[in-house]
Amino acid sequence: IRWYALAYIFGLLLGWRLMRRLVARSPVVADDAAVDDFLIWATLGVVLGGRLGYVVFYNAGYYVENSLSIFAVWRGGMSFHGGAAGVSLALILFARRHGLEWLRVHDYVACTVPIGLFFGRLANFVNGELWGKPTDVPWAIVFPGSRDGLARHPSQLYEAGLEGLVLFAVLACLFWFTNARRRPGMLVGVFLLGYGLARFIVEFFREPDAQ
């Protein structure tokens, strides 16, 4: 059992439960049965898209020379960008198959994604991976496995807070207390803008990937 796997499981299951609550509000974009079915599609989209996204965006040269390593998911290597693209593609295909308005469903799904981002970044922190740049702030951490022994920003927690908690709160407020859910594309647009802004900010504190 690995922390990252648990993060995916909790993110998907809690997102599924929240999605069932969201679709109960007007305007009705899907029913509970459709939400239940989409959980499988979303899982495949996250896993396959996340892996292929990592292969293409982060280390394409290595995987061109070592193509069998693409399937070695136990060694790690997932990309949010790829996972988001995978889920979006799965959602479009699913909506067409079931006669749903894909953009409206996309809005509702976007409200659940920060849950997975939150747990994923916590898993990164516990695993001691994707850490931040060296710093002398009082909350700096020396991560196990660090060869230089330098104290670093816990940038995984910064991301968990911004991409997870803050973005979730913004989308929840827009969904429950405004008419944003009645404007197709509004919520998913806010999600993309919020995630991009959060990631942009944290990149100033995050150590770049080795490759």
Side-chain angles (χ1 to χ4, degrees):
I1 299 176
R2 299 185 181 275
W3 288 108
Y4 211 53
L6 290 175
Y8 271 70
I9 292 170
F10 279 115
L12 286 164
L13 291 180
L14 291 177
W16 163 62
R17 294 300 301 176
L18 174 60
M19 187 70 178
R20 285 175 64 105
R21 288 194 61 191
L22 298 181
V23 299
R25 299 297 297 266
S26 61
V28 176
V29 301
D31 56 21
D32 287 347
V35 173
D36 295 346
D37 289 343
F38 181 66
L39 177 61
I40 304 299
W41 291 63
T43 301
L44 292 173
V46 167
V47 175
L48 297 179
R51 182 58 175 173
L52 291 177
Y54 179 82
V55 169
V56 173
F57 298 140
Y58 286 91
N59 219 353
Y62 170 81
Y63 288 107
V64 167
E65 298 178 359
N66 304 273
S67 56
L68 291 179
S69 295
I70 294 174
F71 305 100
V73 294
W74 56 89
R75 297 177 186 172
M78 298 288 282
S79 160
F80 168 76
H81 313 79
V87 171
S88 295
L89 177 60
L91 194 154
I92 292 171
L93 296 175
F94 180 84
R96 286 184 176 180
R97 180 174 180 177
H98 292 267
L100 304 175
E101 296 182 61
W102 74 270
L103 189 55
R104 286 189 177 276
V105 179
H106 219 142
D107 281 329
Y108 284 48
V109 170
C111 293
T112 70
V113 176
I115 298 174
L117 290 172
F118 175 75
F119 283 113
R121 295 309 180 188
L122 291 186
N124 291 150
F125 177 75
V126 174
N127 286 338
E129 59 192 10
L130 305 180
W131 52 48
K133 296 177 181 178
T135 183
D136 58 357
V137 296
W139 56 87
I141 292 176
V142 178
F143 287 94
S146 173
R147 295 180 180 179
D148 53 26
L150 296 177
R152 297 173 177 274
H153 283 288
S155 57
Q156 312 97 321
L157 299 184
Y158 302 169
E159 290 186 281
L162 291 175
E163 300 170 6
L165 298 178
V166 173
L167 191 51
F168 178 83
V170 169
L171 290 170
C173 288
L174 289 174
F175 184 92
W176 295 105
F177 302 113
T178 74
N179 66 345
R181 66 178 184 270
R182 301 180 184 277
R183 301 174 62 185
M186 178 74 173
L187 292 171
V188 71
V190 170
F191 168 80
L192 291 172
L193 180 63
Y195 175 83
L197 182 60
R199 186 68 181 260
F200 178 80
I201 292 172
V202 176
E203 286 298 318
F204 287 99
F205 304 96
R206 182 173 176 267
E207 187 76 17
D209 292 272
Q211 66 271 23

